[in-house]
Amino acid sequence: MNLATFDPPTRLAATTTLEGLETPCLVLDADRMDRNIARLRNRLDGLGVSLRPHLKTAKSIDVARRVMSAPEGPATVSTLKEAEQFATDGVRDMIYAVGIAPEKLARIVELRAKGVDLVVVVDAVEQAEAVAAASRNAGMRIPAMIEIDCDGHRSGVVPINHAQLLEIGKVLAAGAELRGVLTHAGDSYKGGGDEAQQHYAEAERLAVVGAAQLLRGAGLPCPVVSVGSTPTAHHAKDLTGVTEVRAGVFVFFDLVMAGIGICQVDDIALSVLATVIGHQREKGWIITDGGWMSLSRDRGTGKQAVDQGYGLVCDIDGSAYEDIIVADANQEHGIIAVRPDSDARLPVLAIGDRVRILPNHACATAAQHAVYHVVRSGSHAVEACWPRFGGW
């Protein structure tokens, strides 16, 4: 499968150019996306590990088919709606990488009964016991992975808590299926440069490899050792002991990733197309129809060295204007202005002109839309419309 190949579109847009689309809407640069996918896949091939892409960013089978190594997977999801939707489209190998709530186990059982190898995640004895009980009731062994806390960022068993780790492992091995361990280096989103990212990546690796060794030393199975974050996936130097890497936002990238040096602005494949609807010249504002309902309220760059407001403004071709951002946003109004402390000038844009706005957080921005309008770099031709879905 040539992941860099953009297949002929099967879902053609009703209009054929960016100028003809109703705004605001979501635009996906397929050339940038393909380069992003190839970049990480080639890197992981060189490190001898497989990629289990996280599909939570895209929520689209058309994108999934370009990033997965095979039509059936492997893949990672963050909602059961994703698992159910992708299963309908033929994906059979998935990790539901959010701690399992006991009441959701009935949906897990239903999917597994249809031949989907869906794995759940636990970090507490109570969760493990719920998985074991559901396994007994369903007459099947539900596979589960133990989440390891590699950096204090969010969830997981602290690696030095050997007693808790072993107790969870024993409950799963006895009453369900212990598939392995996984972790997520959430602290990597703090940035810090290449050296810091390499440190995050090694801490991530050591946490799960150590947990796997502890489980195996106690006679428990641990076939899968899974790590995953887009920053560490691009900085790991050694993945000895790791079997797979999970990452998601690398497919599109965004301004948060650019702000911590994981990509360049020109790598960002996703943008929101908006139309100029007014001016407040005395305030230095250009008003568009791209408010926070289309951009999302995510302000993920607000704590970074360069605050991108609600998004970085580009011309209709996707080339960024110097220091021009969406400085503020209301529900359906975006306010374009010069970045504070910059001597840049506003572009000359008439009412009806179009701009493309790069997102702070690709997942949050994409979630505001039902379809990707697919273009090539530098082209205004819309080659396809790829549906995306939401929900839990």
Side-chain angles (χ1 to χ4, degrees), residues 102-376:
E103 65 270 18
K104 294 182 179 180
L105 284 164
R107 292 168 72 184
I108 300 292
V109 168
E110 184 177 352
L111 280 167
R112 290 194 58 79
K114 295 176 180 178
V116 179
D117 185 21
L118 183 59
V119 181
V120 301
V121 170
V122 304
D123 69 352
V125 174
E126 295 87 347
Q127 287 174 307
E129 290 172 341
V131 174
S135 295
R136 289 192 296 272
N137 293 336
M140 66 171 66
R141 285 184 171 267
I142 300 170
M145 299 182 72
I146 304 174
E147 184 171 6
I148 306 301
D149 177 3
C150 67
D151 56 13
H153 175 72
R154 192 169 57 196
S155 304
V157 178
V158 178
I160 61 173
N161 195 337
H162 295 179
Q164 183 185 17
L165 179 61
L166 291 176
E167 186 176 3
I168 294 172
K170 289 174 182 177
V171 171
L172 291 174
E177 179 192 338
L178 176 55
R179 184 67 64 89
V181 290
L182 86 171
T183 193
H184 168 69
D187 271 1
S188 64
Y189 283 69
K190 295 177 181 177
D194 289 348
E195 186 175 345
Q197 290 294 345
Q198 290 163 14
H199 170 77
Y200 292 136
E202 181 62 4
E204 184 181 50
R205 183 188 76 86
L206 291 174
V208 284
V209 169
Q213 291 172 342
L214 182 68
L215 291 168
R216 292 166 183 155
L220 297 170
C222 191
V224 179
V225 180
S226 181
V227 301
S229 80
T230 287
T232 56
H234 286 84
H235 282 86
K237 295 293 186 182
D238 177 14
L239 289 174
T240 302
V242 171
T243 62
E244 65 178 26
V245 170
R246 308 178 325 279
V249 77
F250 76 95
V251 175
F252 298 152
F253 283 129
D254 54 27
L255 292 170
V256 167
M257 289 293 103
I260 61 174
I262 311 304
C263 69
Q264 301 298 314
V265 166
D266 289 345
D267 295 322
I268 300 173
L270 206 63
S271 62
V272 173
L273 184 70
T275 301
V276 174
I277 59 172
H279 300 87
Q280 292 287 337
R281 291 183 173 86
E282 70 283 1
K283 297 178 180 178
W285 293 354
I286 297 172
I287 313 298
T288 77
D289 61 358
W292 56 253
M293 281 294 286
S294 62
L295 301 174
S296 89
R297 292 200 72 108
D298 192 289
R299 291 279 287 102
T301 60
K303 295 181 180 180
Q304 293 185 340
V306 178
D307 185 351
Q308 304 283 16
Y310 286 86
L312 185 62
V313 183
C314 303
D315 63 21
I316 194 171
D317 295 320
S319 297
Y321 294 113
E322 181 182 358
D323 286 339
I324 305 300
I325 62 173
V326 180
D328 203 356
N330 301 120
Q331 185 164 335
E332 302 297 350
H333 293 75
I335 298 174
I336 292 176
V338 176
R339 189 193 315 280
D341 302 320
S342 171
D343 58 2
R345 293 186 178 185
L346 279 175
V348 177
L349 293 170
I351 289 176
D353 284 349
R354 288 173 171 216
V355 294
R356 286 163 68 176
I357 301 161
L358 303 180
N360 278 308
H361 185 178
C363 303
T365 296
Q368 311 305 305
H369 300 266
V371 65
Y372 298 99
H373 297 88
V374 183
V375 299
R376 296 282 191 170

